[in-house]
Amino acid sequence: MVHLKDNFGRTFPYFRISITDVCNFKCGYCLPDGYQKPKNKKTFLTLDEIRRIGIALSELGVCKIRLTGGEPTVRKDFLDIVKNLKSLPGIKKVVMTTNGYNLKQIARPLIENKIDGINISIDSLDKEKFKFITGMDKLEDILAGLKILQENNFKKIKINAVLLKGVNDSEEDFNNWQQFIKSNYVDFRYIELMQTGDNLDYFKKYHISANIFRDYLVKNDWIHQTAGFDSGPAKSYIRKDFSGKFGIIAPYSKDFCKSCNRLRITAQGDLRLCLFGETGISLRALLQNDNQITELKNLINNQLNFKKESHYLELGNTGLTPHLASIGG
């Protein structure tokens, strides 16, 4: 089996495809003023362009595709995109990341269309904290959508929360999540707040090391679990008496990039080799007809020669990404 590989021996079975920059939340760490439509920006990838990307990736040995945004479910053709990618040989998993805004309405159609996994952003189980972080009073609706998934025996659910100093980093917050996953079959992960091109003041105010949560897990007898081949960057922790798992995504840890196994394509069709890389190359010109698939594959393959060993985020080398929604972070 052929696999994409870079010059440091890392293989890439996993791609993130952003299908829109639009988001209907106003999270302080990403889009505090809400989505602002830029002037003269290229249109988002079409259904056919996404299908051609999927064909090329499947032939390059990619087995897992994550659909992201912005908020991917704002696209009216979202389920068609899922169907197209699910039909491709070699693509074993099509998963998605969502803020959960439409989850109550779309939960059953997602199951019917055989989505393989759903990541839901829930930054706090406290209604007021959730509203403070996201700018939206939608926690109850999101939890209702999560309940629909569970009632239909859908188990590939992950919940992400950005760890924010003085907001959702207390032992009480951790205990609330521990109680939640005791009886809920979900993977909950804290993500360290990352500095982007436009959130320096927010970062300085709210960044805290994920070690605070790691120390909590150690104190409460959680055991580190080995990651799977196509798993993302989270370090997972388990306890035999719990239905769910805990996880930590810590990009400021020294060896974070050693296990990198995924690449990104933005909603405008740019291939990004790293979340914090400063450049991307457009694939758009090679997405216009099926006869270009071979050339598209060659371009993607050749770009792996330019992937760096590390982003050295722990040394303060933050890239120029304006905000994570712009590249499907």
Side-chain angles (χ1 to χ4, degrees):
M1 178 77 177
V2 138
H3 288 296
L4 285 169
K5 184 178 289 190
D6 69 6
N7 294 328
F8 303 97
R10 295 173 296 197
T11 56
F12 299 89
Y14 177 9
F15 253 79
R16 297 174 68 102
I17 303 177
S18 176
I19 60 174
T20 180
D21 290 351
V22 178
C23 187
N24 43 19
F25 273 32
K26 298 179 180 180
C27 298
Y29 51 79
C30 187
L31 291 173
D33 299 319
Y35 175 73
Q36 308 292 320
K37 186 175 181 180
K39 296 178 181 178
N40 304 319
K41 192 161 187 179
K42 292 185 293 185
T43 57
F44 300 133
L45 292 166
T46 67
L47 184 61
D48 274 340
E49 287 174 329
I50 295 168
R51 178 182 60 82
R52 291 181 185 114
I53 289 172
I55 293 170
L57 295 181
S58 67
E59 293 180 3
L60 286 168
V62 172
C63 61
K64 179 178 178 180
I65 291 176
R66 177 173 298 282
L67 297 173
T68 73
E71 171 49 40
T73 65
V74 300
R75 281 190 57 152
K76 294 179 180 178
D77 60 353
F78 177 73
L79 291 175
D80 293 324
I81 293 171
V82 173
K83 289 177 190 175
N84 271 354
L85 293 176
K86 288 287 296 180
S87 70
L88 298 177
I91 302 298
K92 297 178 182 177
K93 296 179 184 177
V94 177
V95 298
M96 66 178 289
T97 296
T98 176
N99 61 27
Y101 188 95
N102 296 316
L103 193 57
K104 271 202 309 185
Q105 293 76 27
I106 204 173
R108 288 187 180 87
L110 285 171
I111 295 170
E112 291 165 3
N113 283 279
K114 302 189 186 308
I115 196 82
D116 293 293
I118 301 174
N119 284 22
I120 310 166
S121 296
I122 305 178
D123 289 306
S124 177
L125 285 172
D126 180 279
K127 184 177 179 180
E128 292 306 313
K129 288 183 179 182
F130 181 91
K131 186 176 179 180
F132 170 77
I133 297 168
T134 67
M136 302 294 287
D137 187 12
K138 296 290 291 184
L139 178 61
E140 291 181 4
D141 285 348
I142 295 168
L143 293 177
L146 174 62
K147 186 176 181 181
I148 293 171
L149 291 175
Q150 293 174 318
E151 287 173 346
N152 284 271
N153 203 35
F154 187 86
K155 294 185 176 180
K156 297 295 184 179
I157 303 170
K158 295 177 180 177
I159 296 175
N160 298 330
V162 177
L163 186 63
L164 301 171
K165 182 170 64 178
V167 180
N168 62 358
D169 66 334
S170 70
E171 185 155 343
E172 181 182 0
D173 291 300
F174 300 163
N175 284 339
N176 286 342
W177 281 116
Q178 182 168 255
Q179 188 62 34
F180 185 84
I181 70 168
K182 186 171 182 64
S183 56
N184 284 279
Y185 193 93
V186 299
D187 294 0
F188 171 81
R189 299 98 59 81
Y190 265 123
I191 305 172
E192 273 187 347
L193 176 65
M194 292 175 271
Q195 184 185 337
T196 59
D198 63 358
N199 79 342
L200 180 58
D201 291 342
Y202 191 93
F203 178 82
K204 287 180 177 178
K205 183 174 182 179
Y206 292 113
H207 177 263
I208 186 170
S209 170
N211 286 338
I212 188 174
F213 186 54
R214 185 181 292 111
D215 292 345
Y216 172 86
L217 296 179
V218 171
K219 184 176 74 172
N220 287 275
D221 301 321
W222 288 86
I223 300 168
H224 180 247
Q225 183 183 39
T226 304
F229 170 68
D230 64 354
S231 299
K235 293 185 180 299
S236 296
Y237 294 79
I238 57 174
R239 264 181 61 173
K240 64 180 181 180
D241 51 335
F242 278 69
S243 299
K245 299 178 185 178
F246 270 137
I248 298 172
I249 299 176
Y252 289 87
S253 59
K254 182 174 178 292
D255 296 324
F256 182 76
C257 295
K258 283 187 177 180
S259 60
C260 180
N261 69 345
R262 57 184 177 170
L263 302 166
R264 289 172 168 78
I265 295 174
T266 71
Q268 289 77 33
D270 292 347
L271 173 65
R272 297 292 292 264
L273 301 177
C274 174
L275 178 61
F276 285 91
E278 297 179 358
T279 58
I281 186 169
S282 178
L283 306 179
R284 207 77 188 259
L286 298 180
L287 301 177
Q288 303 315 303
N289 66 73
D290 290 1
N291 294 329
Q292 298 174 296
I293 298 294
T294 298
E295 195 175 353
L296 175 62
K297 287 161 50 181
N298 289 338
L299 178 60
I300 294 172
N301 215 358
N302 289 337
Q303 284 301 300
L304 266 294
N305 293 317
F306 302 102
K307 185 165 174 65
K308 296 179 181 180
E309 181 179 17
S310 175
H311 53 44
Y312 299 109
L313 195 62
E314 75 278 7
L315 300 180
N317 293 347
T318 294
L320 299 180
T321 301
H323 53 78
L324 298 184
S326 65
I327 62 165

